[in-house]
Amino acid sequence: MQAMTVEQEQQFTYYWYAAKQAIVEERYDDAYVLLTFCHAINPEDGHTMTCLGIIEQGIGNDLKGLLLLNDAFEADPHDQWYHYVKTLLDINTPSSWAQALIVLEKAHDVQQPNCDEELLDQLQDMYLKLDKWSEALAIQDELDKINGYTSQSAILRVRIWIIQKKPKKALAEVNRYLEQDPTDVNLLEYKVGIMGVTKAKAKELYPIYEQILEINPHNLSILNDYAWTLATHKGDLNKAESMSAITIKEDPYNATFLDTYGWIMYMKGEKDLALFYLTRAQMYAEEDNMAEIKEHIKKVKGEK
């Protein structure tokens, strides 16, 4: 298309700001007419086509609106991706999702090397939903250049490695962030969980438990885990009991906490108390921990 003349530029600017004012005043019919004038003067202006597409959608012309949003994106993939992608995702079909990914990736390529953070967030979200883990990590690298290496970044990376069943890489990521901030409780808790999966020795876990509790003495999950680890690894049962007692006092209907306390009582030779707390644990247990609690009850009763 030939460049606009000075007169056309003036007309375009006049109609554009008049349309913008009409939208603010909710005079959508007037806005539509004015935007149509803008489109006639400059049919390759992406922003104009996006506004027309949104209005078409608003009056029920979904297909025409979608086509205008597509044309807007083709004319200006750098800036006119958002409403097109939103519409494609709202359609919510496999083909519309596939098209949304194509749009996001094209906009991402066009915006290099300085991508809009909102685009990066949207593209990463798509990659995560589609299990494209390497691509999601690559986007996180770009986000880190904008925001720095944050706890949120580290946690997302850790989760991806865990999903891919790569606990060593997950643990390395946790340790990388803890070098930057050794007081981040969320990452310390991830470290405990990952070390449990990798069968770390109890003596390796104790210092991490202590570190977390120094920061947050009332972290009930860690108090319970610490007590359970002590009880099942020939640790200090009195210390285990005192920590576990805090958890059941604070959350008396938590089956996991009750089970831990009951088992500690059993390890201390208090079978009647053990059965009392284990029976209460069974009352409040969910499906996922019912079997283990039943096994503990059978053990205390001496049943096979």
Side-chain angles (χ1 to χ4, degrees):
M1 180 182 174
Q2 292 182 344
M4 289 189 292
T5 65
V6 173
E7 182 181 0
Q8 286 174 323
E9 288 182 357
Q10 290 174 341
Q11 287 178 324
F12 182 89
T13 302
Y14 172 79
Y15 288 134
W16 172 253
Y17 281 103
K20 185 176 179 181
Q21 184 61 33
I23 291 171
V24 170
E25 296 173 359
E26 299 182 359
R27 294 182 289 107
Y28 298 116
D29 288 344
D30 292 341
Y32 185 83
V33 172
L34 292 163
L35 287 167
T36 301
F37 289 155
C38 290
H39 186 49
I41 296 169
N42 183 3
E44 294 186 5
D45 183 72
H47 199 174
T48 299
M49 286 185 277
T50 290
C51 291
L52 284 169
I54 292 170
I55 292 175
E56 291 288 358
Q57 289 177 326
I59 61 177
N61 295 332
D62 291 339
L63 179 57
K64 189 174 181 180
L66 179 63
L67 292 173
L68 279 163
L69 292 175
N70 175 73
D71 291 344
F73 174 73
E74 292 298 330
D76 182 10
H78 188 284
D79 293 323
Q80 303 306 320
W81 59 271
Y82 177 81
H83 290 287
Y84 188 28
V85 167
K86 182 178 184 301
T87 298
L88 290 167
L89 294 179
D90 287 343
I91 293 171
N92 197 26
T93 64
S95 60
S96 70
W97 271 62
Q99 180 62 21
L101 181 58
I102 290 170
V103 170
L104 286 167
E105 288 181 330
K106 183 175 179 179
H108 175 257
D109 291 343
V110 169
Q111 288 191 8
Q112 291 296 331
N114 299 309
C115 284
D116 178 67
E117 187 175 352
E118 186 174 24
L119 171 64
L120 293 173
D121 285 337
Q122 184 70 68
L123 181 54
Q124 184 182 65
D125 187 57
M126 286 285 288
Y127 283 146
L128 292 171
K129 288 176 179 175
L130 295 171
D131 297 345
K132 292 179 175 287
W133 309 120
S134 297
E135 291 87 344
L137 287 171
I139 296 297
Q140 191 58 51
D141 290 339
E142 293 187 55
L143 286 166
D144 286 355
K145 289 179 182 178
I146 297 172
N147 300 314
Y149 181 49
T150 65
S151 174
Q152 182 180 2
S153 170
I155 288 172
L156 182 136
R157 294 170 184 276
V158 168
R159 287 175 175 170
I160 289 175
W161 293 128
I162 290 173
I163 290 170
Q164 294 187 92
K165 301 186 187 306
K166 296 180 178 179
K168 289 184 179 179
K169 287 193 173 184
L171 186 58
E173 193 68 53
V174 168
N175 288 332
R176 179 163 82 102
Y177 186 78
L178 289 175
E179 288 179 4
Q180 177 175 304
D181 181 7
T183 66
D184 190 292
V185 172
N186 288 329
L187 270 299
L188 287 167
E189 288 180 343
Y190 269 109
K191 185 170 184 175
V192 167
I194 296 166
M195 290 177 70
V197 171
T198 56
K199 310 298 183 185
K201 295 179 180 179
K203 64 181 182 180
E204 295 174 316
L205 291 170
Y206 294 152
I208 307 171
Y209 289 137
E210 294 286 354
Q211 188 176 357
I212 295 172
L213 292 175
E214 184 176 346
I215 300 166
N216 180 8
H218 296 287
N219 188 317
L220 299 184
S221 294
I222 292 301
L223 285 168
N224 178 75
D225 288 352
Y226 196 176
W228 178 259
T229 304
L230 286 168
T232 55
H233 290 81
K234 299 180 180 180
D236 185 340
L237 290 178
N238 290 327
K239 183 174 183 177
E241 180 186 352
S242 65
M243 288 191 294
S244 185
I246 294 171
T247 69
I248 62 172
K249 180 180 179 181
E250 295 292 327
D251 192 353
Y253 306 111
N254 186 303
T256 300
F257 297 169
L258 290 165
D259 178 53
T260 297
Y261 193 78
W263 191 251
I264 293 170
M265 292 298 99
Y266 170 67
M267 296 296 292
K268 295 187 74 172
E270 301 282 352
K271 290 188 177 181
D272 289 340
L273 275 174
L275 280 175
F276 173 79
Y277 285 103
L278 290 171
T279 301
R280 284 181 61 81
Q282 187 177 21
M283 287 172 56
Y284 304 119
E286 301 288 342
E287 185 88 20
D288 58 349
N289 61 352
M290 180 67 77
E292 183 177 10
I293 293 170
K294 286 182 177 179
E295 284 299 315
H296 291 166
I297 291 173
K298 287 170 64 177
K299 180 74 173 179
V300 172
K301 290 182 175 180
E303 299 174 354
K304 294 184 179 180

